[in-house]
Amino acid sequence: MRRVVVTGLGAITPIGNDVPAFWQGLISGTNGIDTITRFDTSEYKVHLAAEVRDFDPTLYMEKAEVRKTDLFVQYGLAAVAQAMAESGLEGQVEPSRFGVYFGSGIGGIGSISNDVIKLQEKGPRRVSPHCIPMMIANLAGGHMAIRYQAKGSCLPVTTACATSTNAIGEAVRAIRHGYLDAVISGGSEASIVPIGLAGFANMTALTQCEDKNMASVPFDKRRSGFVMGEGAAALILEEYEHAKARGAKIYCEVVGYGTNCDAYHITAPDPEAKAAAACMQMALDESGLQDETRVYINAHGTSTPLNDVMETQAIKQVYGERAKDMLVSSIKSMVGHTLGAAGAVEAVAAIMAMQEGLVPPTIGLTEPDPDCDLDYVPLVARKADIRLALSTSFGFGGHNACLAFGKI
């Protein structure tokens, strides 16, 4: 089996628009949640979100291209541009052996919403001719393939909140099994728009908390729902010998991947956590590092009543008595739930934690839920010599995914 390594990272997030800024925000416990500024929320049940701020798409694309692309595509292209520049991969891989596995949970919901309004108010002739390519979720990957001449598989993934974890994992398998030598992987989301907020709020998935410092508190007994976030993250994955031969910087090795389905409910996780635990166990077994004690788990940790208890149970099922020795944290306490981008954003956090020997905290966790009794690294970052990092994602529809990263 061929080995797969990470040779480039990129990120657009509510606490920083590149990896260094994002990482500094994480370790300093910066809260990216605040009052929504994009539109008037006075008639909504929810008024807080984690918006990307000060983003300039023209740093990464021409103005004409900006006008023809949805914000989720712009975020994705920006993150990938950063990752590709860092990797030095452009022009160093045979196009037919270069792929794109980049997903979005929802796609161009902002563009759909805008053109539906135009249709209703001004008639069908006013709908943009770019409406369809702006809305469909595969077009972030399509733009990336065109820009970087990646002529191998271009397979976007849509598995709700597990989207980009699955995208990365499936890309790893494509390289391992010899189909590709390098892949642009990750995910993006830009769904903080009126219809997105109203839809999630009315299904009671979102917290109605008005205090930004209490809105997203994973594993805390006061948690009451997730906070919508947005952004993108990208990982450049490469076959180890290919990366080594060109002298690439290597962050880590992707040593394991697991994926399965609860097959239980369209939105609620299975409270028995058996499938979630099995998913994590798959990644751990594949890694060959079952006995490693220096482990960080970047939890899905949504700050919803059901998820956090389920995930705690899954970790206990996997590690047994050792579960309380694991370092676990949820960066959703700082960046909210970035939906289809969450897996990639959190993978970057997990990799950086291992690289820097510093675990990002779960901020706001001051009143632990008795049913959530692990070490969630509350409030402040913690130094730790991490040799194995797991990143978990659990999506609507019962989609479970887990990545394992090993230090080289």
Side-chain angles (χ1 to χ4, degrees):
M1 196 74 72
R2 305 196 319 162
R3 298 171 66 187
V4 181
V5 294
V6 178
T7 57
L9 299 174
I12 301 293
T13 79
I15 59 173
N17 290 336
D18 55 39
V19 172
F22 169 54
W23 177 243
Q24 186 57 44
L26 289 180
I27 61 173
S28 62
T30 301
N31 188 356
I33 297 166
D34 211 332
T35 303
I36 293 170
T37 62
R38 305 269 175 82
F39 53 94
D40 181 7
T41 63
S42 58
E43 295 186 6
Y44 290 73
K45 299 176 182 179
V46 173
H47 307 107
L48 299 177
E51 297 175 323
V52 169
R53 298 176 177 86
D54 303 320
F55 174 69
D56 181 0
T58 62
L59 295 174
Y60 305 98
M61 52 202 301
E62 298 296 327
K63 287 183 179 180
E65 192 177 13
V66 172
R67 290 193 294 270
K68 298 175 184 178
T69 53
D70 187 86
L71 189 57
F72 92 98
V73 173
Q74 296 168 23
Y75 286 163
L77 284 171
V80 168
Q82 295 170 16
M84 281 293 291
E86 183 183 41
S87 73
L89 182 63
E90 190 167 5
Q92 300 297 307
V93 58
E94 167 60 39
S96 66
R97 303 284 299 171
F98 189 22
V100 179
Y101 284 57
F102 200 94
S104 177
I106 298 177
I109 189 170
S111 295
I112 297 170
S113 179
N114 290 338
D115 275 309
V116 167
I117 292 170
K118 289 180 187 177
L119 176 65
Q120 292 176 333
E121 293 182 349
K122 300 180 180 180
R125 295 187 179 183
R126 297 301 296 272
V127 171
S128 169
H130 303 293
C131 174
I132 300 302
M134 288 174 74
M135 66 181 264
I136 52 181
N138 71 304
L139 254 294
H143 278 282
M144 293 163 193
I146 293 167
R147 176 174 292 191
Y148 297 105
Q149 287 297 285
K151 297 186 176 182
S153 297
C154 183
L155 294 177
V157 174
T158 298
T159 50
C161 310
T163 288
S164 46
T165 299
N166 279 134
I168 295 164
E170 297 303 321
V172 168
R173 287 179 173 175
I175 297 172
R176 278 183 176 166
H177 292 286
Y179 297 108
L180 299 168
D181 293 326
V183 179
I184 294 168
S185 66
S188 60
E189 206 76 270
S191 53
I192 304 175
V193 297
I195 186 64
L197 185 71
F200 276 116
N202 290 348
M203 70 180 293
T204 68
L206 303 182
T207 181
Q208 295 181 34
C209 178
E210 298 288 347
D211 181 351
K212 67 179 184 180
N213 294 314
M214 288 297 304
S216 183
V217 284
F219 309 108
D220 192 292
K221 67 182 181 182
R222 298 163 298 171
R223 68 191 185 280
S224 56
F226 74 81
V227 174
M228 287 185 73
E230 62 175 355
L235 283 68
I236 304 304
L237 304 175
E238 197 169 347
E239 192 273 323
Y240 174 64
E241 296 296 339
H242 187 280
K244 192 169 71 169
R246 67 182 189 86
K249 172 185 176 179
I250 294 175
Y251 276 97
C252 64
E253 181 175 359
V254 189
V255 293
Y257 168 54
T259 185
N260 63 11
C261 185
D262 283 355
Y264 172 77
H265 190 272
I266 60 169
T267 56
D270 186 344
E272 293 187 0
K274 290 181 179 179
C279 176
M280 294 177 65
Q281 191 66 57
M282 286 181 214
L284 195 57
D285 288 347
E286 199 170 82
S287 75
L289 298 170
Q290 296 93 331
D291 298 326
E292 179 59 65
T293 58
R294 294 165 294 179
V295 179
Y296 168 51
I297 302 173
N298 188 292
H300 190 56
T302 56
S303 189
T304 57
L306 296 179
N307 175 90
D308 296 2
V309 173
M310 180 282 294
E311 188 163 14
T312 298
Q313 291 303 315
I315 294 169
K316 289 180 176 180
Q317 289 177 36
V318 171
Y319 278 106
E321 290 299 316
R322 295 173 55 212
K324 292 191 176 182
D325 297 327
M326 302 298 119
L327 297 178
V328 183
S329 71
S330 172
I331 68 167
K332 289 185 178 71
S333 59
M334 294 175 271
V335 300
H337 193 343
T338 55
L339 305 174
V345 170
E346 291 160 18
V348 171
I351 291 167
M352 291 301 295
M354 188 165 56
Q355 179 90 358
E356 300 296 324
L358 195 58
V359 173
T362 305
I363 67 169
L365 177 52
T366 57
E367 297 185 29
D369 184 335
D371 292 326
C372 299
D373 55 354
L374 302 180
D375 184 351
Y376 305 108
V377 193
L379 305 180
V380 295
R382 191 182 308 171
K383 291 183 179 180
D385 178 19
I386 302 300
R387 307 298 299 181
L388 173 67
L390 301 178
S391 183
T392 59
S393 297
F394 308 113
F396 283 178
H399 300 288
N400 303 317
C402 180
L403 292 164
F405 301 100
K407 199 164 187 176
I408 288 185

